[in-house]
Amino acid sequence: MNHWIIAPIVLPAIMAPILLMGARHDMVLARIFSIASTVALLGIALALTAMVSDGTILTYALGNWVAPFGIVLVADRLSVMMLVLTAVLALAVLFFAIDGSDREGRHFHALYQFQLMGINGAFLTGDFFNLFVFFEVLLIASYGLMVHGGGPARVKAGVQYVAINLVGSTLFLISVGMIYSVTGTLNMADLAVKVPHIPAGDQALLQAGALLLLLVFCVKAALIPVHFWLPGTYANAPAAVAALFAIMTKVGAYCVIRLYILAFGADAGAATWLAAPWLLPAALLTLVLGMTGVLAARRLGQLAGFAVIGSMGLLLTSVALFTPIALSAALYYLLHSTLAGAVLFLIADLVARRRPGHEDGLSVAPGFTQLKLLAGSFFIAAIAATGMPPLSGFIGKLLMLDAALDSVHAAVIWTLVLGTSLIAIIGFGRAGSTLFWKSTGEPGSFPEHAQSNSLSLIAIGLLLAGCVALTLFAGPLTTYLDATAEQVFATHQYIEAVLGNTVLPGGLL
């Protein structure tokens, strides 16, 4: 076993109590420890990337219990790519937070590390029970981060966020129980072996459980009709927290990709491609709703929230085609949309700090400090988020449109993707012209104390640089993502890596 696989979980799990017990009264020390831990996570993720780059799938059996009887962690190209993305985003967001917003409440850095532990665990786990555990870890930490700093609006949004996720957790347990009652396993690889051999009399219960689990993942991914919690929650959360939450919707997308290709994909017998008829229409409706929300938004933070919903709709539209080429395009867009969505929340916060009485409302107000710098940052972020050339959003949409050409739904997909792109451009154009262009002609100015320190701008610059890097290195990156998608669809490789040579005919061990 390669013990580095468990490091992205163990490191933040150890760092969080250290921060609680040893650095809770010293903010400087807490910041140093938190940054050091996050940098180490990025290094570990990059090291794991090198280990799996040749197609190797690494496994780690906790307690040395052989799968499927024990808990197993699995690192392949897909899961490790998500670890790298999480670490990059977390590091940039942490720079923004230590510019002062981490002082608004207690235990920010400890909760931040617990959050990273839950996210990393969800990407690495190989069984349902552990996935539920890591979901709860990341959700409990996110509850604390959501209300960090207090305030009526934040608490109200936090209560809604807690309520919807408690319902999701309950449905998760029910769905997993239904699947376990039929298959007798919680291991994902073992489930993939047993699903094709489920008798016809048990298919209804199996498929009902699988579809209920799809609903749970759609809650995490903010897919229609369970999307309503996201705009208010993200818009009222602290900016650094909302930016980190950009990766949490991708946890839902990751689970859909992993489970419904591995266990309910081409070899699932009567349950083959179970999610496809439901996922595609929901994703297209989410795309339309999200981009329409961008056009109707009255606050910049709200606009960013609806942009995240729209991007998830577009991402899962490509996933729902369930082909390697479409998945590769979806993964490229996943990387792009995470960075582009996160930077919008950070920009919205800096704008709000400089406009007392107006905050991030889309209304004309007197000019403010660093207006041109923030206007330029918003302009680049808007180009990326709307999919205009030449940045990564444009490349991602081109890849997905190309992947959809062979689909029977190609005409609908092309029409909605291009139509909603136009709507998004109008929405972002309206917001930018109101906040930056029209405001320059208004008399008066706001106090200089509204200006933030340089670390916030560095965080924004890092995320925008990430979008530029995705554009400049699109060639080698898409080659890697093509290989990643092929590996995801080669389910026998995953099963063999987890279960070894213990699988016998009929799916018995």
Side-chain angles (χ1 to χ4, degrees), residues 181-416:
S181 69
V182 175
T183 62
T185 186
L186 294 175
N187 183 281
M188 295 182 188
D190 194 35
L191 181 68
V193 172
K194 292 181 176 178
V195 162
H197 307 285
I198 298 300
D202 292 330
Q203 280 292 331
L205 187 59
L206 172 68
Q207 294 185 27
L211 290 175
L212 188 58
L213 193 59
L214 178 64
L215 178 64
V216 173
F217 296 151
C218 288
V219 171
K220 311 302 180 186
L223 209 63
I224 197 170
V226 283
H227 64 284
F228 54 86
W229 60 271
L230 190 146
T233 299
Y234 281 32
N236 289 293
V241 175
L244 182 64
F245 282 6
I247 193 67
M248 287 179 58
T249 52
K250 308 309 184 295
V251 174
Y254 170 86
C255 292
V256 171
I257 293 169
R258 178 65 75 194
L259 178 65
Y260 293 93
I261 294 177
L262 176 64
F264 297 98
D267 300 321
T272 295
W273 302 125
L274 178 66
W278 304 91
L279 189 59
L280 183 58
L284 288 172
L285 287 173
T286 303
L287 171 62
V288 173
L289 177 76
M291 294 314 178
T292 304
V294 167
L295 185 61
R298 297 182 178 181
R299 294 173 51 197
L300 190 55
Q302 189 181 51
L303 178 146
F306 277 110
V308 169
I309 291 177
S311 69
M312 287 306 301
L314 182 54
L315 167 63
L316 288 172
T317 294
S318 192
V319 170
L321 298 178
F322 289 113
T323 63
I325 186 175
L327 179 59
S328 176
L331 293 178
Y332 182 90
Y333 191 78
L334 184 152
L335 297 173
H336 150 79
S337 61
T338 301
L339 301 181
V343 76
L344 287 173
F345 289 109
L346 302 187
I347 293 172
D349 183 69
L350 291 191
V351 170
R353 293 185 203 177
R354 289 159 169 75
R355 289 165 33 110
H358 295 269
E359 282 72 44
D360 65 338
L362 300 183
S363 59
V364 178
F368 50 87
T369 56
Q370 297 179 326
L371 184 146
K372 293 182 179 179
L373 181 60
L374 287 176
S377 299
F378 178 80
F379 181 66
I380 297 172
I383 289 175
T386 57
M388 294 177 64
L391 292 182
S392 50
F394 177 70
I395 296 174
K397 285 189 178 181
L398 279 183
L399 291 172
M400 288 190 284
L401 290 173
D402 181 62
L405 280 174
D406 295 330
S407 170
V408 295
H409 306 290
V412 175
I413 293 172
W414 272 67
T415 300
L416 292 181

Side-chain angles (χ1 to χ4, degrees), residues 23 25 39 47 49 87 116 156 166 205 292 356 359 378 387 432 495:
H25 300 302
V39 170
T49 300
L116 294 180
K156 180 180 178 181
L166 285 177
L205 187 59
T292 304
E359 282 72 44
F378 178 80
I495 295 169

Side-chain angles (χ1 to χ4, degrees), residues 106-108 111-112 114-115 132-151 154-170 219-220 229 233-234 236-238 241-242 244-245 248:
R106 301 181 63 186
H107 309 311
F108 174 87
L111 289 169
Y112 198 83
F114 276 129
Q115 179 85 16
F132 175 77
V133 170
F134 285 123
F135 265 28
E136 294 308 299
V137 170
L138 70 89
L139 287 174
I140 290 170
S142 69
Y143 299 155
L145 291 172
M146 172 65 209
V147 298
H148 180 72
R154 196 167 289 177
V155 172
K156 180 180 178 181
V159 169
Q160 175 182 277
Y161 177 68
V162 170
I164 189 66
N165 279 288
L166 285 177
V167 173
S169 297
T170 303
V219 171
K220 311 302 180 186
W229 60 271
T233 299
Y234 281 32
N236 289 293
V241 175
L244 182 64
F245 282 6
M248 287 179 58

